[in-house]
Amino acid sequence: QVQLVESGGGSVQAGGSLRLSCIASGYTNNLYYWAWLRQAPGKEREGVAFLESDGSTYYPEAVEGRFAISKDNAKTTLYLQMNNLKPEDTAIYYCAADNHPIRGRGDYWRSPSYWGQGTQVNVSS
């Protein structure tokens, strides 16, 4: 069993920064793929950052250059550094993990096996 718990959400003005954290517990040894996903009101859930098993990362165009995903293996903690935030970044952000690839070609992703409960990010103009 795997548990993912996010923290670090909050309210910030446009142009500001936030760092989200996700602590993983349980049997995490075979979790090789990690991601941050988000869902804004009235919109579909979308992937915003992906960490592959080889350490490579991928970001969709909407957040490229502003968001950065990283992982502290010693602490089994996943991070999402978000800079230059925009009002359209307002959403619930979810940490996710799997032992199989989450991201396919381009921005396509499949539902991961493990999800956190989400943390709210609000960006005001």
Side-chain angles (χ1 to χ4, degrees):
Q1 191 72 2
V2 173
Q3 295 81 40
L4 303 176
V5 179
E6 303 96 335
S7 62
S11 297
V12 65
Q13 288 191 328
S17 298
L18 284 174
R19 188 175 82 154
L20 306 183
S21 299
C22 171
I23 297 177
S25 61
Y27 189 68
T28 61
N29 289 348
N30 64 340
L31 296 179
Y32 304 117
Y33 301 89
W34 300 80
W36 286 96
L37 312 165
R38 71 184 181 188
Q39 186 164 23
K43 295 188 177 181
E44 293 187 354
R45 197 167 290 183
E46 62 176 345
V48 296
F50 299 88
L51 179 63
E52 308 294 347
S53 60
D54 63 358
S56 62
T57 58
Y58 177 86
Y59 308 92
E61 186 177 349
V63 305
E64 175 76 45
R66 300 189 298 120
F67 288 13
I69 187 173
S70 61
K71 187 171 178 289
D72 182 333
N73 289 324
K75 296 181 180 179
T76 321
T77 302
L78 186 73
Y79 300 101
L80 182 67
Q81 178 66 43
M82 303 186 294
N83 299 325
N84 190 22
L85 283 161
K86 304 176 180 181
E88 52 264 43
D89 294 321
T90 294
I92 299 174
Y93 284 72
Y94 300 90
C95 166
D98 206 316
N99 59 352
H100 296 290
I102 298 172
R103 189 180 72 87
R105 180 172 298 206
D107 293 351
Y108 172 81
W109 59 276
R110 66 170 187 83
S111 183
S113 296
Y114 304 104
W115 294 78
Q117 82 289 349
T119 185
Q120 179 72 48
V121 172
N122 295 311
V123 184
S124 59
S125 57

